[in-house]
Amino acid sequence: MSVELNHTIVFARDNRASAEFLADILGMSVGTPWGPFVPVATSNGVTLDFATADPETITPQHYAFLVSDEEFDAGLARIQRAGIAYYADPRLEQPGRINHHHGGRGVYFFDPAGHGMELITRPYGSHAA
C-alpha cells in the first residue's frame, strides 16, 4: 500500500461555520458530523475535519486546493459575491487579483478562523502544455 493523506484536523472558532464556508467556496457539501468534527471531503479522498477550538490556541495554517478551470471560476465568483478579500500572492501585496503561475491560475483568501486558503488550477512546478 502506498502512503496517502487520509484526513487532517482543522481547528476553527466554529467548526460548522468554517466547514460550511469552505464547502461553499469549493461547491461541495459538508459531511455528517462525527464526534467533535464537521468534515469536508475532497474528491481525492482527503477529509478536512473541522474542530472547534479556543481562538487563542489556533495557529493559522495554509491549505491549497487543486481545482479545474471551471471550479476555479465558480470558486472565485463565490469569493467575489461574498465580498471576501482575495489576493494574487501569499504576501497579500496584490489585492483583488489572481495569479497565473505554473501555466494556470491561483488565488489566496482566508477562512473564518484565519487559515490561508488557496485555489490553484495547476500544481506548483507544472507548465501549460
Side-chain angles (χ1 to χ4, degrees):
M1 173 185 226
S2 62
V3 177
E4 296 180 358
L5 179 63
N6 177 265
H7 68 277
T8 189
I9 296 171
V10 181
F11 291 115
R13 291 179 181 93
D14 177 326
N15 61 352
R16 166 107 6 226
S18 286
E20 289 177 353
F21 172 86
L22 180 62
D24 180 57
I25 295 298
L26 296 176
M28 300 169 58
S29 298
V30 170
T32 302
W34 184 78
F37 306 111
V38 179
V40 175
T42 64
S43 62
N44 64 338
V46 176
T47 303
L48 288 89
D49 293 322
F50 287 87
T52 299
D54 177 348
E56 297 297 318
T57 66
I58 296 172
T59 299
Q61 301 293 316
H62 177 78
Y63 299 92
F65 300 92
L66 181 62
V67 299
S68 69
D69 285 313
E70 295 78 18
E71 290 164 331
F72 182 90
D73 292 337
L76 181 59
R78 291 181 194 109
I79 290 167
Q80 292 169 329
R81 272 196 307 273
I84 298 166
Y86 64 95
Y87 306 85
D89 65 302
R91 291 189 173 154
L92 315 178
E93 296 171 347
Q94 299 175 55
R97 296 175 55 195
I98 66 169
N99 67 58
H100 297 275
H101 302 313
H102 312 284
R105 295 179 291 159
V107 66
Y108 296 84
F109 59 100
F110 292 96
D111 86 336
H115 296 298
M117 301 289 175
E118 180 182 12
L119 302 180
I120 56 174
T121 61
R122 301 290 180 276
Y124 284 12
S126 67
H127 300 285

